[in-house]
């Protein structure tokens, strides 16, 4: 039985192209991950704040390298798209931004991000999320992006609000962290919502 609605984004939209490098405001760049990023990823995941909001921990640089290999493969599999956020001048890693749970036919994905401790409070996450959001809507052609975070993660909520992701509600007891089940705020942004900032 044929579908009555066409795919929002055709399969192959990611797999048939190289992952782009995206310039971001304020001397930042979103670039594909490289194996040489493994030490910086390992170091980032030693931070207690980052560990609080993530289910995974990196026990070694080789484990972090495995993550990077998985992140790179996810592009070809059109499951997810992960970028390193780096300082343009030095190429030093300052964070990560990603589209997870990509559903090209439905035109939807989830935005995820983190920053290294030295980059916090400087708008790095917001600039990364805004750059990725514009690419996802304008270049890839997605229709809806969701963003979730633990209700207790106030910094993440500020990023969502600053980048135009409207709060849509609370998902009760939705994600298990090391300290127990967390309620999650659901935010979303729709193509055509307008520019932010």
């Amino acid at each position: 039985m044929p579908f009555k609605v066409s795919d929002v984004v055709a399969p192959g939209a990611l797999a048939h192209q190289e992952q782009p490098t995206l310039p971001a405001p304020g001397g930042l760049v979103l670039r594909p991950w490289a194996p040489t990023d493994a030490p910086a990823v390992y170091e980032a995941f030693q931070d207690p704040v980052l560990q609080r909001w993530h289910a995974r921990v990196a026990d070694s640089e080789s484990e972090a390298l495995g993550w990077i290999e998985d992140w790179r493969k996810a592009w070809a599999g059109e499951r997810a798209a992960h970028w390193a956020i780096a300082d343009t001048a030095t190429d030093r890693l300052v964070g990560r931004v990603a589209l997870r749970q990509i559903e090209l036919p439905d035109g939807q994905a989830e935005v995820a991000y983190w920053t290294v401790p030295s980059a916090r409070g400087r708008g790095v996450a917001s600039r990364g999320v805004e750059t990725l959001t514009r690419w996802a809507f304008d270049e890839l052609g997605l229709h809806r992006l969701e963003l979730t975070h633990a209700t207790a993660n106030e910094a993440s909520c500020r990023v969502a609000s600053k980048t135009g992701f409207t709060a849509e509600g609370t998902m009760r007891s939705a994600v298990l962290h090391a300290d127990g089940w967390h309620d999650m705020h659901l935010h979303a942004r729709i193509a055509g919502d307008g520019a932010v900032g």
Side-chain angles (χ1 to χ4, degrees):
M1 178 183 313
F3 286 100
K4 294 168 66 175
V5 178
S6 299
D7 290 345
V8 176
V9 178
L14 295 180
H16 294 155
Q17 66 172 309
E18 293 292 321
Q19 183 176 0
T21 296
L22 308 172
L28 298 177
V29 63
L30 278 57
R31 60 163 174 76
W33 288 94
T36 53
D37 290 317
V41 172
Y42 170 73
E43 182 179 343
F45 271 83
Q46 304 317 299
D47 172 44
V49 173
L50 195 60
Q51 289 181 5
R52 180 176 183 200
W53 305 119
H54 288 80
R56 298 172 82 182
V57 293
D59 290 329
S60 66
E61 288 184 14
S62 63
E63 185 174 6
L65 178 60
W67 295 359
I68 289 170
E69 291 170 355
D70 289 344
W71 294 341
R72 292 167 60 92
K73 290 176 185 174
W75 176 273
E78 299 189 318
R79 301 180 313 274
H82 303 264
W83 280 264
I85 307 174
D87 181 280
T88 304
T90 64
D91 199 39
R92 184 175 56 88
L93 180 71
V94 294
R96 166 189 171 254
V97 68
L99 295 176
R100 302 187 312 177
Q101 300 177 13
I102 295 174
E103 295 292 341
L104 294 177
D106 296 331
Q108 299 185 25
E110 180 184 353
V111 173
Y113 49 89
W114 52 256
T115 54
V116 301
S118 63
R120 293 189 190 131
R122 298 180 13 218
V124 168
S126 297
R127 286 179 277 153
V129 167
E130 181 59 25
T131 299
L132 178 57
T133 298
R134 288 181 180 162
W135 177 84
F137 288 148
D138 298 345
E139 302 298 324
L140 184 56
L142 296 182
H143 175 71
R144 175 182 168 90
L145 296 177
E146 294 185 351
L147 186 161
T148 63
H149 62 81
T151 56
N153 190 341
E154 296 177 4
S156 201
C157 198
R158 286 192 297 273
V159 171
S161 297
K162 187 175 181 180
T163 55
F165 281 76
T166 302
E168 293 191 340
T170 301
M171 301 182 295
R172 296 177 303 130
S173 195
V175 174
L176 181 62
H177 287 288
D179 61 350
W181 288 97
H182 279 249
D183 291 351
M184 302 292 285
H185 278 158
L186 170 63
H187 300 256
R189 191 162 157 188
I190 307 299
D193 274 349
V196 175

